[in-house]
């Protein structure tokens, strides 16, 4: 019988492979049948995932994969910058075994990018960051990054990321090469740029500037002259077509 840890790990893997979309309902009974275990174990797994920010629960509707807001998306990327860049800066240089492990991971990434298995490609691209933390010797941050990477995957699905998988893989290659050469400063810059590029590919609205009055003032400002003033517009001549010749006529004229 699988444990709660086994179930939660499988759900995290499915999220990272883009096989569970944001908002997917996770029924306790269905999961108990799939994993051939009790609902108690399933509930324990889902409760753990809720504390990790991967699922959420509604008293009347059940368990669901989270749908991060735009503000939460920005926070997730900000957190990843702090963790991953700081990890590179603070950890000792990678030894030969760690470099070998990272190179092996990159080979699997490249094969997945060339292949057609989107799930494997998505998982490996995200898992690179977890693998890097493990190779740098910090298992605690590796666990944290696994959760942040899962959330980032959900964010990419929810906000229709246009980021190119091949570019991500190439970014990873450059980061590992810099670490192998002992150039920590370059590796930091490359990681910062990589995370920024991934975030920039999301369809997010600009972050609010915190000036609520200014935002309201901008929203309620009069329309510009190009919009026209219908209150002052002359009445159409008798027999004239009331619909403008503009290719995008006023909607009211069509109703």
């Amino acid at each position: 019988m699988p444990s709660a840890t086994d179930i939660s790990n499988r759900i995290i893997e499915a999220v990272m492979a883009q096989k569970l979309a944001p908002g997917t309902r996770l029924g306790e009974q269905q999961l108990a049948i799939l994993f051939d275990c009790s609902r108690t174990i399933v509930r324990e797994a889902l409760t753990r995932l809720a504390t990790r920010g991967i699922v959420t629960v509604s008293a009347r509707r059940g368990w669901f994969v989270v749908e991060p807001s735009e503000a939460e998306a920005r926070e997730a990327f900000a957190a990843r910058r702090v963790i991953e860049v700081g990890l590179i800066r603070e950890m000792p240089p990678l030894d030969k075994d760690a470099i070998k492990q990272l190179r092996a991971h990159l080979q699997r990434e490249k094969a997945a990018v060339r292949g057609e298995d989107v799930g494997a490609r998505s998982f490996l691209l995200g898992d690179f960051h977890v693998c890097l933390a493990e190779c740098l010797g910090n298992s605690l941050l590796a666990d944290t990054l696994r959760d942040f990477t899962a959330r980032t995957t959900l964010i990419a699905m929810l906000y229709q990321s246009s980021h190119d998988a091949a570019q991500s893989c190439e970014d990873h290659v450059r980061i590992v090469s810099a670490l192998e050469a002992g150039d920590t400063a370059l590796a930091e810059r490359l990681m910062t740029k990589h995370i920024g590029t991934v975030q920039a590919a999301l369809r997010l609205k600009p972050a609010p500037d915190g000036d609520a009055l200014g935002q309201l003032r901008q929203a309620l400002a009069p329309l510009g002259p190009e919009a026209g003033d219908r209150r002052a517009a002359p009445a159409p001549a008798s027999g004239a077509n009331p619909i403008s010749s503009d290719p995008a006529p006023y909607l009211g004229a069509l109703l």
Side-chain angles (χ1 to χ4, degrees):
M1 181 182 296
S3 66
T5 299
D6 295 330
I7 296 172
S8 60
N9 286 343
R10 285 279 296 277
I11 291 174
I12 289 284
E13 289 173 3
V15 167
M16 290 175 64
Q18 297 189 10
K19 293 182 178 180
L20 282 177
T24 300
R25 188 175 187 277
L26 301 171
E28 289 183 10
Q29 185 61 39
Q30 288 87 346
L31 289 174
I33 293 172
L34 285 173
F35 287 100
D36 192 20
C37 65
S38 69
R39 290 181 63 173
T40 301
I41 293 177
V42 167
R43 194 174 300 117
E44 181 183 349
L46 293 174
T47 300
R48 291 182 185 182
L49 290 174
T51 62
R52 294 163 64 181
I54 305 302
V55 304
T56 186
V57 63
S58 170
R60 296 188 177 184
R61 298 174 61 232
W63 301 89
F64 295 85
V65 178
V66 296
E67 298 181 88
S69 67
E70 293 193 10
E72 289 169 333
R74 295 187 186 94
E75 289 176 358
F77 278 95
R80 283 190 58 179
R81 285 190 191 91
V82 171
I83 293 172
E84 299 194 55
V85 175
L87 184 62
I88 291 173
R89 180 181 303 129
E90 298 298 328
M91 290 297 102
L94 292 174
D95 58 28
K96 291 182 179 180
D97 288 339
I99 292 294
K100 183 178 180 181
Q101 184 177 342
L102 285 169
R103 290 292 182 190
H105 187 99
L106 290 175
Q107 289 303 315
R108 292 193 295 273
E109 270 191 38
K110 292 175 182 178
V113 169
R114 291 192 299 267
E116 298 181 357
D117 189 338
V118 176
R121 181 180 67 201
S122 175
F123 177 83
L124 287 167
L125 288 172
D127 195 53
F128 166 80
H129 298 268
V130 180
C131 181
L132 178 58
E134 291 173 341
C135 289
L136 287 169
N138 196 313
S139 58
L140 180 61
L141 285 181
D143 290 339
T144 301
L145 279 174
R146 185 175 288 105
D147 293 346
F148 273 117
T149 301
R151 288 178 67 85
T152 301
T153 303
L154 292 171
I155 290 164
M157 286 191 281
L158 189 60
Y159 296 103
Q160 302 175 20
S161 173
S162 60
H163 190 60
D164 180 36
Q167 181 182 347
S168 263
C169 184
E170 186 57 35
D171 288 350
H172 295 168
V173 170
R174 293 193 184 100
I175 291 167
V176 171
S177 294
L179 289 171
E180 186 174 13
D183 194 340
T184 303
L186 175 58
E188 288 181 36
R189 293 196 299 271
L190 290 171
M191 181 63 79
T192 300
K193 181 180 179 182
H194 169 61
I195 295 174
T197 301
V198 174
Q199 182 177 3
L202 301 174
R203 296 181 63 181
L204 294 175
K205 298 174 184 175
D209 59 12
D211 180 8
L213 179 59
Q215 294 170 35
L216 190 59
R217 182 183 295 112
Q218 182 178 5
L220 297 179
L223 296 176
E226 66 276 4
D229 187 348
R230 296 193 173 277
R231 291 170 299 179
S238 177
N241 187 347
I243 300 179
S244 167
S245 60
D246 189 305
Y250 173 53
L251 183 59
L254 303 177
L255 297 180

